[in-house]
Amino acid sequence: MNYCLEWKTIEYAINHTVSKIVINITNKPVITWPSAVKNGFGIAEFAFIFLLLTGSVAFSNSKKDTSGFENVVREIAGGKLDINKKYMYWNGERYIATDSANLGRQFKVIAMQKDDFKDLKKITQPDTLTTENAMGKVWYDKSNNNVEFFTSFGKHPENEKALKDVSERILEIYGGENAKQ
């Protein structure tokens, strides 16, 4: 029984003490520039963090890798990095620039045509086409009862037929909600 009485006394003392605790919460940054530099977190550490964040660019190998940073820059620049290459080929959706005239039988490599390289792309989501956003801006080819839409006039990259201006009738039948996916 003594044990139980002592426990109650301790419990009371803890409850009494807890009720007098004051908690102050302050919201301030963990690291500030002056304290970081003063505590030894200097230029070398910031340079290390910068290199970690940009390591794929700073330490990339010398091989041509078109899957990463270079493609992002090329897209931002609108393909301007590739426009000076001598050749191009159609990948099914747009022209890709290359320095090689022979990439194997799977690709038909042609001389660089800057306007087609920059402007001619296949519209892969014809369900988004409407008369408001397509008239005067979209061209099409109809072959074997299949319609493909493009972003520029010219020739179809695969069958070399002349592309036609899109009409309201073509959009009504093959574009918008009636488009085949």
Side-chain angles (χ1 to χ4, degrees), residues 67-157:
S67 63
F69 178 74
E70 186 179 328
N71 268 353
V72 173
V73 171
R74 185 177 301 118
E75 286 297 321
I76 292 170
K80 290 180 182 164
L81 296 176
D82 283 342
I83 201 120
N84 294 326
K85 293 188 177 182
K86 295 180 180 182
Y87 304 101
M88 65 183 186
Y89 65 92
W90 183 254
N91 76 348
E93 292 182 9
R94 66 184 185 100
Y95 281 109
I96 306 294
T98 181
D99 287 324
S100 177
N102 185 10
L103 295 176
R105 288 190 275 178
Q106 70 269 26
F107 298 109
K108 181 182 175 187
V109 179
I110 61 174
M112 174 61 74
Q113 298 168 9
K114 293 180 181 185
D115 290 334
D116 284 347
F117 177 75
K118 290 188 306 185
D119 301 330
L120 187 64
K121 294 173 180 56
K122 183 178 178 180
I123 297 174
T124 59
Q125 296 180 325
D127 59 325
T128 62
L129 296 175
T130 63
T131 55
E132 291 81 25
N133 68 12
M135 296 302 294
K137 301 174 191 169
V138 174
W139 289 260
Y140 76 98
D141 171 62
K142 183 177 180 185
S143 298
N144 301 325
N145 209 25
N146 182 36
V147 174
E148 295 177 303
F149 296 98
F150 294 89
T151 58
S152 181
F153 62 90
K155 291 184 178 181
H156 189 290

